[in-house]
């Protein structure tokens, strides 16, 4: 069963939002493990919050990345050189973020 990690970001600057969307959508092709692609799918877009009862951040970007396994997801999070570079370069871009993980079942 595949595993999807979902990210929400509160990025106030519109140009930075565009960069985040483009970067996430490019991870599928840019990230390699042992020389091969290991990300099954990526989706990212700017969003508008319609309702938030938590009083949380003003989310502006949504992204999801689907992996074949939790090992691949953890490799992406902790070892993938492309992702590590992106995280280091953009560590101060977001006013807040949230990451959740799940496996979706198709009915």
């Amino acid at each position: 069963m595949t595993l999807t990690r979902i990210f929400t970001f509160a990025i106030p600057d519109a140009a930075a939002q565009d960069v985040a969307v483009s970067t996430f959508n490019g991870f599928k092709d840019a990230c390699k493990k042992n020389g091969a692609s290991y990300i099954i799918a990526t989706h990212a877009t700017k969003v508008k919050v319609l309702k938030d009862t938590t009083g949380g951040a003003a989310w502006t970007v949504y992204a999801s990345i689907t992996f074949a396994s939790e090992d691949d997801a953890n490799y992406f999070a902790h070892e993938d050189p492309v992702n590590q570079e992106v995280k280091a370069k953009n560590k101060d871009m977001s006013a807040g973020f949230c990451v959740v993980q799940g496996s979706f079942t198709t009915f």
Side-chain angles (χ1 to χ4, degrees), residues 1-6 65-67 99-105:
M1 182 177 296
T2 62
L3 178 85
T4 299
R5 289 200 174 162
I6 299 169
I65 303 178
T66 302
F67 303 93
V99 181
V100 296
Q101 164 179 304
S103 295
F104 293 91
T105 303

Side-chain angles (χ1 to χ4, degrees), residues 25-40:
N25 283 327
F27 277 145
K28 184 175 186 279
D29 294 326
C31 295
K32 307 288 183 203
K33 183 178 177 184
N34 300 322
S37 296
Y38 68 98
I39 294 174
I40 294 172

